Amino acid sequence: MALRTKKEYFDSIKQLKTELYAMGERVSDPSTHPCFKPPLEAIGLVYELSGRKEYEDRLTTHSPFINDKVNRFAHILLEQDDLAKRFRIARFMVHKHGACIGARCVSTSSLNAVFAVTYEMDRELGTVYHSRFLDFLKFVQKNDLAVCGAMMDVKGDRSLSPGKQTDPDAYLHIVEKRKNGIVVRGAKASISGAAIANEIVVVPCTALQPGEENYAVCFAVPSDAPGIIHVAEAPAPNMRRLTGDEMDFGNARYGTHGSTHVIFEDVFVPEDRIFMCGEQKFAGTLVNYFALLQRLATSGCKTGHRDLLIGTAAVIADYNGIGNARHIREKLTDLYFQSELSAGCALAAVYSARKSPSGVFFPDPLYINLAKLQGVKAIWDGNFITADIAGGLVCTPPTARDIKNERIGKLLTKYFKGRKDVPTEHRIRMMRLAEYLSGQGSVVPIESTHGAGSPQAQRIVIQNTLMSVIERFKKDVKVMAGK
Ligand SMILES: Cc1cc2nc3c(=O)[nH]c(=O)nc-3n(C[C@H](O)[C@H](O)[C@H](O)COP(=O)(O)OP(=O)(O)OC[C@H]3O[C@@H](n4cnc5c(N)ncnc54)[C@H](O)[C@@H]3O)c2cc1C
């Protein structure tokens, strides 16, 4: 079996004995929890689409390691074109789910980074990590597993390296070596999809110095391994999931992220799952490989998110009757320009990619970092542009319960109507989607944007004032130029 169905993936997560907490309570079945069902559905969608003929070429490929079809997220990138395809599926999938598929997406970075570094370690040190890792890779590919990547330690005092922390557990490390494996302790922060992944690949968080060998540890464990505790992230909008109606969520089906803080409380890792154990010199290479690929993945993913921002802002402008206004088009063009600049840099990184000694291709470091940073800037600017275009209702819409209320429902439906041919509910739903996509967990940014008048109102006053003084400025420069 090299491709699973969505149901098989769901069943595999249900069978786990994960120690998972959300908002202070133990979660026995993430598939029914309001904050974990959405990312499960998003990952389930990858399984579902991968099984369809029309997406076969986009989402699946041939693995030489198991001589069978595999999902592209679990593929080893031995061709330059694999990088381009990986970038494009991130954007493609986000158009469909608008959320996060970390337990599949980060598989690429973690599997490829460990593949490449274990190859280099074996070559230089004569270790057997690569052949061990190949067994794990084949297990993942044959069973089409969801694998997350846990790099980020909680890190304690950021000015101190792992070996100098007051609490040695601030970075995950080896606490005991046994004949048949190791025991590790520490905590990885905000790991996307960790509780709804089948396996967790753990890598070091930073380059390490001599003396920090116990922090140079890389391994794979099932996400419910004894001693692992998951604590769910709790961004403000997740709270609404506990009480609200699906109309209030913006992206009801897929729109929670589903990361967990993963605590390793003396977890035993058997020998066949250990891929680095004390080789401090190679930690930096592993971190670098992981980061390069994750920056490629996120550049694709965030380009997809910005496409959704553009679509949402444009639909709201249509619903408000101003879809053809010049300043709206200019703002959307600015967002698209910034977004595609990031996508272009990512593709430049792909087409100037370098082949590592193992044969895995990694994106060019300069261009992929340009892509990531420009993408971050474009997301923040895009949030502002979307909020600007959408109006203050992004943070103040009435709830589904208000709309259904006998006394006020009809009034709200009448007064919150935009263009006459657009039902009020459609307009409010789109505002909620804008709220979700632009990350508005509090009223502060939108109230700051639209309270006391929308930005365009200030631009008009500023432009009028400029026009009243511009002739004087022009006269001054002509004098200065001597004409
Ligand atoms: C939703 C979400 C999902 C995530 N998913 C994953 C995942 O799947 N896998 C994974 O491994 N990680 C994941 N992460 C973690 C992510 O990689 C980190 O949040 C990120 O690298 C920043 O680390 P931090 O949050 O500890 O912030 P910090 O490192 O504390 O950074 C805060 C600020 O401190 C500065 N700073 C840090 N150290 C120093 C220093 N020594 N000197 C000077 N300045 C310093 C930084 O530049 C930054 O400006 C996720 C994070 C989020 C929010």
Side-chain angles (χ1 to χ4, degrees), residues 237 240 248 312 316 320 383 386-399 402 416 427-452:
R240 199 188 292 159
D248 302 324
T312 304
I316 291 176
N320 286 346
N383 293 341
T386 304
D388 174 6
I389 290 173
L393 204 56
V394 169
C395 75
T396 58
T399 64
D402 294 317
F416 283 104
R427 182 167 177 252
I428 290 177
R429 278 182 179 269
M430 202 50 70
M431 291 290 178
R432 286 291 187 202
L433 185 57
E435 179 195 32
Y436 161 77
L437 288 170
S438 61
Q440 302 309 323
S442 114
V443 298
V444 175
I446 303 284
E447 196 276 332
S448 310
T449 307
H450 290 284

Side-chain angles (χ1 to χ4, degrees), residues 262-459:
V262 189
I263 299 167
F264 290 75
E265 202 181 36
D266 293 357
V267 173
F268 176 72
V269 184
E271 191 177 62
D272 62 339
R273 291 297 197 90
I274 302 169
F275 313 125
M276 177 184 280
C277 187
E279 294 78 5
Q280 142 275 325
K281 191 180 136 194
F282 286 86
T285 310
L286 180 48
V287 169
N288 184 41
Y289 282 158
F290 184 95
L292 288 172
L293 289 175
Q294 202 47 37
R295 283 170 200 170
L296 177 73
T298 209
S299 296
C301 163
K302 293 303 157 233
T303 308
H305 275 284
R306 290 187 300 269
D307 294 338
L308 295 176
L309 273 175
I310 291 171
T312 304
V315 170
I316 291 176
D318 282 346
Y319 287 179
N320 286 346
I322 53 161
N324 291 325
R326 203 164 122 200
H327 78 98
I328 301 287
R329 286 185 176 183
E330 277 169 7
K331 286 166 183 166
L332 292 178
T333 305
D334 188 38
L335 173 48
Y336 192 50
F337 160 67
Q338 289 209 43
S339 184
E340 293 300 322
L341 214 51
S342 168
C345 286
L347 289 173
V350 165
Y351 292 111
S352 44
R354 292 167 200 182
K355 194 175 182 172
S356 66
S358 66
V360 173
F361 277 88
F362 289 94
D364 175 80
L366 173 64
Y367 284 108
I368 203 58
N369 281 286
L370 285 172
K372 166 69 169 57
L373 200 53
Q374 170 57 26
V376 171
K377 185 172 155 26
I379 277 283
W380 284 95
D381 287 358
N383 293 341
F384 170 71
I385 289 170
T386 304
D388 174 6
I389 290 173
L393 204 56
V394 169
C395 75
T396 58
T399 64
R401 280 190 208 164
D402 294 317
I403 303 285
K404 287 177 196 156
N405 181 285
E406 228 176 89
R407 169 87 179 98
I408 56 174
K410 280 199 185 113
L411 291 169
L412 293 170
T413 303
K414 167 184 159 69
Y415 285 114
F416 283 104
K417 196 161 179 65
R419 226 176 53 195
K420 73 169 188 233
D421 56 333
V422 178
T424 304
E425 184 185 328
H426 292 197
R427 182 167 177 252
I428 290 177
R429 278 182 179 269
M430 202 50 70
M431 291 290 178
R432 286 291 187 202
L433 185 57
E435 179 195 32
Y436 161 77
L437 288 170
S438 61
Q440 302 309 323
S442 114
V443 298
V444 175
I446 303 284
E447 196 276 332
S448 310
T449 307
H450 290 284
S454 301
Q456 195 60 22
Q458 289 105 63
R459 283 179 165 276

Side-chain angles (χ1 to χ4, degrees), residues 100 102-103 106 148-161 171 188-194 201 203-205 233 257-261 290 294-295:
C100 178
V106 192
C148 72
M151 167 188 269
M152 195 48 52
D153 285 290
V154 287
K155 298 190 299 212
D157 182 337
R158 269 68 175 151
S159 69
L160 302 174
S161 64
Y171 286 77
K188 296 284 187 181
S190 316
I191 305 304
S192 300
V201 170
V203 299
C205 179
E233 63 179 4
H257 185 94
S259 73
T260 53
H261 305 299
F290 184 95
Q294 202 47 37
R295 283 170 200 170

Side-chain angles (χ1 to χ4, degrees), residues 26 34 126 139 152 160 169 174 181 224 250 256 263 278 334 398 430:
R26 181 88 189 251
F139 168 69
M152 195 48 52
L160 302 174
D169 303 340
I174 302 163
D224 65 342
T256 63
I263 299 167
D334 188 38
M430 202 50 70

